[in-house]
Amino acid sequence: MPASEEASRLIPDSRLGVELYSEETHFVYELIQNADDNGYPPKAAPYLNFTAREQWVKVECNEEGFTEKDVNALCNVSKSTKKARNTIGEKGIGFKSVFKVADEVHIGSKGYQFILSKENGAFGMVQPEWRTFNDWSESPDVTLLRLSLSADCEAKIIHEEIEDLKPTVLLFLRKLLKISIDTPDFRKEMSCLGRGESIVTLMTTVKYHPNDEDDGSDRSDNMDDQESEEGNDDSNDGDNDDQESEEGYDDSDDGDNDDQESEEGHDDSDDGDNDDEDSREQYGDNDDNDEDDSPEIQQFLVIEAEAECKQAPPSGKTSVMSLAFPEVGEETLGTQDVHAFLPIRDYGFKFIIQADFSLTSSREEIDHTSKWNQTLRESISPLFKAAVDKMNELPPYRFVWMRYLPTLDLPNSFLSKPKNTIKDYLKDAPCLWSQNQQRLHEPKELIYVPAKFRSRDKKPLFYQMAGRRALSFNYQEQDIPTIIDLGVIRLDIDIFIERIEHVVNQNWSRFTQYTLDWHEDLAKTLLKADSEMLLALPLIPLEVPEGAEEEWISAKDLMTRNVFLKPEVENTQIPPGIDLDFVETTAMRSPARLALIRKLGVNSCDETAICSAIVRLLNRPKMPVLDDAVAQTKYLFEHRSEFTTSNINFWSTRAKTTDPIATGGKKIYFDDYRQTYPVSTLLPLSINAFHLHPRYLESPYADLGTEWLDWLIECQLATVPRMASKGLTKFSRNPSPDFSAFLDNSDQACIIEVLLQNWNFYEPGFGLISSHIKPKLDGIILPLPKLLRIAQKYGLKATDKRFLQMKIEEEEVIRYEKLECFGVCTKASGTFYLELLRHLKKQLEMPEVELVHSVYRKLQQSSDLNEIKLLSQYEDCKRLFCDISCVQKKATLEHVVDDIKRTIAEMDDRLITEDLRPLMITLSKYIKRSVEDNDPNVPGILQSLECAKVFPLRTRRSIQVVSKLDFSDRSFCFVADREILYELFENHVPLLDFSSAEVHKLQPLFDHFLHPRLLSNEVRKAFVKRGKEILDSALTSEYRKKSTEIFRCIRRYKLSGAPVHGRLHEKIQNLTVLEVDSVECNNMLYENRKLAGSPPQEPKVSVSTSGDVAIENSSKGIKIFVTNDRSRRQKALYHTIPERLVSELGLHPEAQAMLQTVLLLEQPLLGGIMDEHGIPRLPGRESVADRDGGRPSNHVSQNQTAAVIERVEVVSILTKFVQGFRPSSHWTSRLRKRAQVCSGFEDISAYEETELADITFHDEQGNLARWLHQQGYEDARSWVDGGMTFYLEVKTTMRDNATPFIMSAGQIEHARRFTKYASDQSPCSRYLVIRVSRILDECRNMCVYIDPHALIENGQLEKSTNQYSVVPARRDTSILEAGDDVGTSSDTEEDYDGAST
């Protein structure tokens, strides 16, 4: 067969050598493999040299040289001269990999010189071309390959691959001992110095070439000559090398002795140094190198064993497996390559695995499908365990071998399984040393003792804990996590304390007989502990009489015994009745033991410690005897600065027993001579209250003065009846029995005096208990000097029964004005003038007309006129007021302005500022009405008041009355719409003299006439917090849980005209309460408004305040800063926080009582209380059925559905019985969209226009009026002629008709606006409320309230004080009830009583 055909047959694809390997540089490992498979002359030291230049790579080897058979094998595929078990190659095509990077290869060996080239395709790669070349001619004793690199090959990559060859490539080669690399940058030599029984030493030397400017080719030629000479020298010295190498192996046989010496503490490193020195000499490494080119020595522990094979190895394979462990240094161990004699790749192990793996054709990956490889893989874990056994015999590895444990797990890796099973092999194997190092232990038998549990001489305080021995301290800290992962446990304080308990319980004498140093070390350890178990250990030795048995106690025993450190000062005074024990002196001399004893709760015997002991004694079930207890209490008082006042027990007495009773201070009363009414006179004997034993108030304790009494009050004893049984932290909705008895058995003057004298004590509870106090005081007129002066004009004397018989001085007036919240008359109000009118009515002689006239003018000006039921007070004058005087005739804004002008002209200077406020409020109310009615004459009417002096203005020195023109001329005049701002700036800038509540009522006047500057918009705040800010997590969580209730209060009591946005609700849901020492707020007022981007300006006025509470309301959220001083914190929580919230958020002052309730009561109680007070629920959080103020339901969706159905039924009735009524036109509520699920209403669309009422019907034909008349409303007969417009609002409830229903402020206003008259007799529009009750029952009920606004005005419907909750007051013809048969004429139902809210 011709040569070309033979080549084609042998190499059917000419790309074989190019595409067989994915990496260009893999040919390097193929050449190394071939070199290791070569034969070498006797006593020669096999080596391989690589010389790399720009366009070529030269490879030299001192092997025996080619034979004809070798040449034939080289020029064929799958033919090799290698013998099965003596070589590491297997494919027979490894040499062809050079054609991945080379176009042409020059080969010279033992007289053969030829070229193989791929230029001629497959034929050129196997057909030699005989040619000589100079490189080999200069070194004829070596085999030489010169690779001419391809043009498309990157020489830089080839150079880097050769340069990156690791010395570990020599570890598992059979023959090759040295590899040299020469590149344009440096020369590197890697040598195997010796292979002992377990240790293999590798040496690497690197020498960098000098940077000269000679031609590269000349230098290369010189270097080639030098390499050839070195190669010859090496080969000539082969005999000596082999001899020395054999001697090196002989040295390694003494490994057992070396191990023995290492265990005895001898150092083996000297032998290693000599071996390295000999090896360097044998390889000729004594060239003229720079001093810096010192060789790098690496040692590997190599463990070799036969793999546990279940089947015979494949042909040519060996079952020997080796693991090589690099020597542990200071640097972290890196991952190593897996070898099949040569490196394959990195699989993430920290040691080298060598096995005769079957590889893929590219030799770059282990063949995953090979069963032989799977067998070898199973042998890695047991071989690693054998390596650990060996390392435990060698000192350098004994305490660091765990660093080789695999930690990196590559996904989908063939060798992932051994990484997971190696630890499993070790967990049950004896592989770790204990502290005594007598033998190896399994990890589960050992415990790691951290340094904090060791003694001063670095020994464990206990050698055995939790049934385990202490792990040797020679293991380094960085390896402990890995050791613990094997099953060793870490000693913690709980295990340590359990060991102490075991010693104490099993061998108490041994524990007490430990040395003082041991107890000192134990104390140092326990000082760092924070465990409750520590409290039960007997660690406190007590001083006992000489010869007595030792006594040690625990921290828990301190609850029943008074143990102290011996006092530093002799003769410390101790009150009677206290038994003291002292700590043993030896323990106090040890700093650590003394610190531990203090930590356990033992204190020095000083005043503070004695006070704590007294508190414990007084709070025991069995109190000290009376005299001792009183003396001990006196000691607490005298040293009150040494401890925080707490709740302690006192001896008390009761009316029904003579024996002293031990009682907590929260239940005890005592008479305080500073109180006008002693508490013993306020509480009847039937209450059987606890009173402080008289011994506490007798001499010498009576001589202690008011400080003693104040301190008793701090201990929560009371001098007046307590308002709530459980104190002021959680108010019940009813007063305590003590307070109820006080109200029932005391006259009005006594009640008033007690309340005023103890206002701060009672004020936090007024929000809930005021309803019980008000009936006792409502309507009382106090004999205030200003009221007496007015009364005298009308002939009413101070002795009249209308006045409370008591004397009030001029300077006490402000004090009594507080009582106005209980209905007490303290001002010249409408109630006062009504009493004057009654007085005049009962006079025998006819009063002067001017006196009566003046009373009526005052009534007209009174701000509480709307709350006076004038007709109910004077029913006998109904004809006068209604028919003759036409009281019901509607006033206009023009009437009000004229009345103001007339009133101002009649006022004297003394009463002018007091009477102006109600006038301005009335004016503001009528401005609002006129604007809502779109009256175009409002500006013209108000213009007539521009020059009228009607605005009270408070300046620093006085109160003036100014006009709008005067006010406009002032560039620096403000309105205080927050009470706190009024208090801050009243002495700094001119202010309109109105309260924040009055400012709210005056908002229409400000908007349409005056246009003042509100302080809340002008003042800027800056906070300075003293002390560290600490989050009060409990209070923050509580307030956030109540965010919905807080926001309900804000919506109900908001003063500002602006709407309350949901953003504020979100801020309240995320508010934060922070504790600080104190907080200072700097309130800055600028003369001109600061605009964004304007330059900084100095404030005109800056007022700083400091206190216990500050609220920072910024765009980022709300922060409440509260003092951490416990003595002031209680008042801050109960009073100051609600007060500041009212001020900061711009709420009506009435909100403070409700906010106190919300912040103090438990959340489950709040919903019902707020509903009963008429505080609307938030949109989306109330059912339609519950809008009437009913109790919250757990079936909201059911109620909503029922409410919609009831509206559908009402609409259906009207459709059936009222001709011309159409749901699509007359059902004017957005709720109707929900009716689409009801039969007959599927096509009804959503109502998009302004919603004024649920139903709006213009009754042109009188059909609705005719239906109302049929239902029993007699006056509807006059409306049947048509022309009436009806506005119907449907109110539903699950309960009966007597249930209060909610009318919003807007609905009440609509009802007023829709009550319009075309003439004096016939109305043209009416507002109706259709009330459907028991909507969830089968038997429903319906009634109609026609014109509810008029019903409220004449008292037939009662409106609660919150103005939103409405309830029937009594039966009247305007109220109609009917059953399910509505639509036909029916008789009137029997009367019912309406429940008042």
Side-chain angles (χ1 to χ4, degrees), residues 1071-1316:
L1071 69 77
T1072 304
V1073 182
L1074 300 164
E1075 286 190 352
V1076 294
D1077 293 344
S1078 63
V1079 62
E1080 180 178 316
C1081 178
N1082 190 18
N1083 301 271
M1084 296 168 288
L1085 182 62
Y1086 296 87
E1087 186 166 359
N1088 298 312
R1089 287 187 176 92
K1090 289 188 66 178
L1091 301 178
S1094 62
Q1097 53 178 298
E1098 290 295 326
K1100 184 72 175 179
V1101 177
S1102 179
V1103 182
S1104 296
T1105 59
S1106 60
D1108 299 332
V1109 173
I1111 299 178
E1112 182 178 318
N1113 183 10
S1114 66
S1115 59
K1116 297 180 180 179
I1118 296 177
K1119 292 183 179 180
I1120 300 177
F1121 299 95
V1122 62
T1123 179
N1124 54 20
D1125 189 318
R1126 300 304 167 191
S1127 61
R1128 307 197 310 270
R1129 181 180 172 87
Q1130 187 176 24
K1131 180 182 178 182
L1133 296 181
Y1134 301 152
H1135 176 75
T1136 314
I1137 289 181
E1139 180 185 56
R1140 294 294 168 82
L1141 283 173
V1142 169
S1143 176
E1144 181 65 33
L1145 301 178
L1147 307 183
H1148 193 282
E1150 293 178 1
Q1152 182 172 342
M1154 182 52 65
L1155 276 175
Q1156 285 176 334
T1157 302
V1158 170
L1159 298 181
L1160 297 179
L1161 272 181
E1162 298 290 345
Q1163 188 184 22
L1165 302 176
L1166 295 178
I1169 293 175
M1170 300 183 79
D1171 288 345
E1172 290 183 6
H1173 282 75
I1175 298 179
R1177 301 181 187 176
L1178 303 185
R1181 290 175 170 82
E1182 64 177 276
S1183 68
V1184 177
D1186 285 340
R1187 289 192 300 174
D1188 57 3
R1191 297 184 183 275
S1193 171
N1194 293 327
H1195 307 283
V1196 175
S1197 59
Q1198 181 185 6
N1199 298 341
Q1200 289 179 336
T1201 303
V1204 174
I1205 293 174
E1206 290 309 316
R1207 281 163 171 75
V1208 169
E1209 291 189 7
V1210 171
V1211 171
S1212 299
I1213 290 173
L1214 295 177
T1215 303
K1216 180 178 180 181
F1217 294 104
V1218 179
Q1219 186 176 359
F1221 184 90
R1222 296 186 303 275
S1224 59
S1225 301
H1226 301 125
W1227 190 356
T1228 55
S1229 168
R1230 291 186 175 88
L1231 192 65
R1232 76 183 195 181
K1233 184 178 181 181
R1234 302 184 185 179
Q1236 293 174 349
V1237 299
C1238 299
S1239 176
F1241 290 82
E1242 294 85 355
D1243 298 328
I1244 195 166
S1245 60
Y1247 184 75
E1248 301 295 343
E1249 299 179 14
T1250 303
E1251 180 179 348
L1252 299 179
D1254 286 336
I1255 297 170
T1256 305
F1257 182 71
H1258 182 62
D1259 195 12
E1260 295 182 359
Q1261 306 298 325
N1263 295 325
L1264 180 56
R1266 196 172 294 109
W1267 178 76
L1268 287 172
H1269 179 258
Q1270 292 174 356
Q1271 305 309 312
Y1273 195 83
E1274 294 296 332
D1275 290 342
R1277 184 193 299 265
S1278 60
W1279 304 335
V1280 297
D1281 293 335
M1284 177 71 71
T1285 299
F1286 291 96
Y1287 299 90
L1288 291 80
E1289 189 74 32
V1290 180
K1291 299 288 184 181
T1292 63
T1293 180
M1294 296 179 294
R1295 295 185 284 173
D1296 57 24
N1297 281 341
T1299 304
F1301 61 92
I1302 297 296
M1303 289 186 68
S1304 68
Q1307 291 173 344
I1308 291 178
E1309 183 62 16
H1310 290 330
R1312 184 196 66 77
R1313 291 178 60 190
F1314 295 148
T1315 308
K1316 298 182 179 179

Side-chain angles (χ1 to χ4, degrees), residues 57-304:
V57 175
K58 184 171 64 176
V59 184
E60 298 171 281
C61 181
N62 64 338
E63 55 131 351
E64 292 178 337
F66 282 12
T67 63
E68 181 180 354
K69 192 174 181 179
D70 294 329
V71 174
N72 290 333
L74 190 65
C75 296
N76 287 276
V77 179
S78 298
K79 291 185 178 181
S80 175
T81 59
K82 300 177 183 179
K83 297 180 180 179
R85 293 192 176 272
N86 295 324
T87 61
I88 60 177
E90 61 175 294
K91 300 296 180 186
I93 57 175
F95 172 77
K96 306 305 184 296
S97 63
V98 298
F99 289 105
K100 184 75 175 179
V101 298
D103 292 334
E104 187 177 78
V105 181
H106 295 248
I107 302 173
S109 177
K110 202 175 182 180
Y112 292 97
Q113 297 185 62
F114 56 91
I115 294 175
L116 295 176
S117 174
K118 67 178 181 181
E119 291 182 358
N120 298 326
F123 180 80
M125 294 171 59
V126 299
Q127 180 63 42
E129 179 183 346
W130 305 104
R131 185 190 302 176
T132 61
F133 54 98
N134 296 331
D135 289 348
W136 180 75
S137 302
E138 296 172 356
S139 304
D141 295 332
V142 300
T143 296
L144 183 144
L145 285 73
R146 182 183 177 108
L147 283 62
S148 297
L149 301 179
S150 302
D152 57 352
C153 177
E154 294 188 24
K156 183 178 180 181
I157 296 178
I158 305 300
H159 293 176
E160 290 177 352
E161 181 69 17
I162 297 175
E163 290 173 354
D164 290 342
L165 276 177
K166 300 176 183 177
T168 52
V169 74
L170 295 169
L171 273 176
F172 306 107
L173 296 180
R174 302 174 184 275
K175 302 173 184 177
L176 205 58
L177 297 178
K178 178 180 177 182
I179 297 177
S180 298
I181 299 169
D182 192 306
T183 68
D185 296 326
F186 61 83
R187 177 180 177 84
K188 179 167 70 173
E189 293 185 356
M190 301 176 292
S191 306
C192 179
L193 300 185
R195 293 188 175 95
E197 179 184 359
S198 302
I199 304 297
V200 176
T201 304
L202 303 178
M203 181 179 71
T204 303
T205 303
V206 178
K207 181 176 181 180
Y208 289 89
H209 298 311
N211 293 326
D212 53 40
E213 299 180 358
D214 296 339
D215 182 73
S217 59
D218 295 340
R219 188 181 68 179
S220 299
D221 294 340
N222 295 334
M223 291 183 64
D224 292 344
D225 296 341
Q226 182 180 356
E227 290 167 6
S228 299
E229 293 173 2
E230 291 176 354
N232 293 333
D233 292 341
D234 291 340
S235 61
N236 294 334
D237 296 337
D239 297 340
N240 297 331
D241 291 340
D242 287 345
Q243 182 178 355
E244 293 177 6
S245 179
E246 292 174 3
E247 292 174 357
Y249 295 140
D250 292 340
D251 291 339
S252 64
D253 292 338
D254 297 332
D256 294 338
N257 297 332
D258 292 343
D259 292 342
Q260 182 178 356
E261 292 173 359
S262 297
E263 293 177 359
E264 294 174 356
H266 297 292
D267 190 0
D268 297 335
S269 59
D270 293 342
D271 296 338
D273 292 342
N274 294 333
D275 291 343
D276 294 343
E277 185 176 350
D278 295 342
S279 300
R280 285 194 294 272
E281 291 178 357
Q282 87 179 40
Y283 287 111
D285 290 333
N286 51 358
D287 296 336
D288 295 333
N289 297 330
D290 296 336
E291 294 180 359
D292 295 338
D293 301 332
S294 56
E296 177 186 356
I297 304 298
Q298 293 178 277
Q299 285 192 332
F300 289 81
L301 174 66
V302 180
I303 304 299
E304 185 177 279

Side-chain angles (χ1 to χ4, degrees), residues 618-856:
L618 295 178
N619 287 333
R620 287 180 183 174
K622 185 177 180 180
M623 272 186 67
V625 296
L626 177 61
D627 289 339
D628 289 348
V630 174
Q632 293 167 11
T633 306
K634 176 177 178 290
Y635 186 91
L636 292 179
F637 164 72
E638 292 173 343
H639 299 87
R640 56 191 179 277
S641 61
E642 304 295 334
F643 81 109
T644 302
T645 303
S646 59
N647 184 30
I648 58 176
N649 292 335
F650 295 81
W651 286 109
S652 65
T653 59
R654 304 185 80 173
K656 298 181 180 180
T657 180
T658 58
D659 297 330
I661 305 170
T663 315
K666 291 182 178 180
K667 297 180 179 180
I668 299 177
Y669 295 100
F670 73 94
D671 287 340
D672 187 345
Y673 67 87
R674 295 170 296 182
Q675 294 283 346
T676 305
Y677 295 91
V679 69
S680 59
T681 65
L682 300 177
L683 297 176
L685 296 178
S686 58
I687 292 298
N688 198 26
F690 293 96
H691 290 271
L692 187 65
H693 197 282
R695 185 73 183 87
Y696 289 92
L697 301 175
E698 295 173 355
S699 182
Y701 307 108
D703 302 333
L704 298 176
T706 58
E707 292 184 357
W708 169 248
L709 303 179
D710 291 338
W711 183 78
L712 291 176
I713 294 174
E714 287 183 18
C715 293
Q716 305 187 44
L717 281 75
T719 60
V720 289
R722 292 180 173 87
M723 184 175 286
S725 301
K726 296 183 180 180
L728 299 178
T729 55
K730 294 182 180 178
F731 290 107
S732 60
R733 297 173 61 186
N734 296 312
S736 67
D738 297 354
F739 195 79
S740 296
F742 158 64
L743 293 178
D744 294 339
N745 293 275
S746 302
D747 58 33
Q748 294 172 330
C750 175
I751 294 174
I752 287 176
E753 184 60 31
V754 171
L755 291 178
L756 290 177
Q757 196 169 3
N758 301 277
W759 191 266
N760 291 336
F761 177 73
Y762 285 127
E763 187 179 17
F766 284 158
L768 290 174
I769 312 298
S770 60
S771 60
H772 297 270
I773 303 175
K774 194 170 182 177
K776 301 291 182 180
L777 305 179
D778 194 19
I780 294 175
I781 301 178
L782 293 180
L784 302 178
K786 61 181 180 180
L787 297 183
L788 292 177
R789 286 194 295 267
I790 298 173
Q792 288 174 0
K793 293 181 180 181
Y794 299 92
L796 189 64
K797 298 180 180 180
T799 56
D800 190 276
K801 65 179 181 179
R802 291 180 174 84
F803 287 105
L804 188 64
Q805 298 306 302
M806 59 189 306
K807 186 176 182 180
I808 302 175
E809 301 296 337
E810 187 75 42
E811 59 272 11
E812 296 181 302
V813 170
I814 296 178
R815 176 171 178 252
Y816 284 89
E817 287 179 349
K818 300 177 182 178
L819 297 170
E820 190 175 0
C821 62
F822 299 119
V824 178
C825 183
T826 62
K827 296 180 180 179
S829 61
T831 302
F832 174 71
Y833 283 107
L834 276 180
E835 292 298 327
L836 292 182
L837 200 60
R838 291 193 186 97
H839 169 71
L840 293 175
K841 176 183 176 182
K842 294 181 179 180
Q843 299 302 306
L844 296 177
E845 298 180 1
M846 178 66 67
E848 296 180 7
V849 174
E850 181 57 31
L851 285 178
V852 178
H853 188 195
S854 64
V855 172
Y856 279 115

Side-chain angles (χ1 to χ4, degrees), residues 880-1093:
L880 169 65
F881 290 121
C882 297
D883 300 335
I884 299 176
S885 302
C886 299
V887 171
Q888 289 188 350
K889 183 178 180 180
K890 180 182 178 182
T892 65
L893 176 62
E894 191 171 4
H895 294 151
V896 175
V897 172
D898 292 341
D899 195 40
I900 289 174
K901 294 177 183 178
R902 183 172 56 254
T903 303
I904 294 174
E906 297 174 356
M907 283 184 176
D908 55 24
D909 293 338
R910 184 171 53 81
L911 295 177
I912 190 167
T913 57
E914 178 181 333
D915 295 336
L916 279 175
R917 294 185 180 87
L919 288 175
M920 292 300 98
I921 291 173
T922 302
L923 175 62
S924 183
K925 184 193 323 181
Y926 276 83
I927 290 174
K928 180 181 179 182
R929 290 184 180 181
S930 299
V931 171
E932 290 176 348
D933 292 338
N934 298 317
D935 187 350
N937 299 319
V938 171
I941 296 172
L942 294 178
Q943 188 176 3
S944 63
L945 285 177
E946 287 188 349
C947 297
K949 294 184 178 296
V950 292
F951 299 108
L953 185 70
R954 177 180 290 274
T955 61
R956 185 175 301 180
R957 298 180 180 178
S958 63
I959 297 179
Q960 306 174 13
V961 181
V962 298
S963 66
K964 177 184 178 183
L965 294 179
D966 295 332
F967 191 84
S968 301
D969 292 339
R970 296 175 181 270
S971 60
F972 198 59
C973 192
F974 301 89
V975 175
D977 52 338
R978 307 282 193 274
E979 290 296 333
I980 186 68
L981 297 178
Y982 189 98
E983 297 172 3
L984 291 176
F985 290 96
E986 62 176 332
N987 294 324
H988 298 278
V989 295
L991 295 173
L992 276 182
D993 195 27
F994 293 110
S995 68
S996 60
E998 292 169 336
V999 169
H1000 167 60
K1001 297 177 181 178
L1002 294 171
Q1003 195 65 43
L1005 176 64
F1006 293 159
D1007 293 341
H1008 299 282
F1009 185 61
L1010 198 58
H1011 310 294
R1013 295 171 66 182
L1014 301 180
L1015 282 181
S1016 63
N1017 295 335
E1018 305 293 335
V1019 174
R1020 300 292 179 264
K1021 296 182 179 182
F1023 293 94
V1024 178
K1025 280 78 71 175
R1026 310 293 183 190
K1028 184 178 180 181
E1029 298 179 18
I1030 301 176
L1031 176 66
D1032 190 329
S1033 56
L1035 207 55
T1036 297
S1037 175
E1038 181 180 354
Y1039 284 2
R1040 287 180 178 180
K1041 289 179 181 177
K1042 297 177 179 178
S1043 60
T1044 297
E1045 289 75 18
I1046 296 173
F1047 192 62
R1048 286 178 67 181
C1049 288
I1050 294 173
R1051 285 171 56 90
R1052 167 64 180 85
Y1053 295 104
K1054 186 70 174 176
L1055 289 179
S1056 174
V1060 182
H1061 297 288
R1063 167 65 177 152
L1064 180 57
H1065 191 190
E1066 181 182 346
K1067 289 164 67 174
I1068 295 173
Q1069 287 175 323
N1070 297 283
L1071 69 77
T1072 304
V1073 182
L1074 300 164
E1075 286 190 352
V1076 294
D1077 293 344
S1078 63
V1079 62
E1080 180 178 316
C1081 178
N1082 190 18
N1083 301 271
M1084 296 168 288
L1085 182 62
Y1086 296 87
E1087 186 166 359
N1088 298 312
R1089 287 187 176 92
K1090 289 188 66 178
L1091 301 178

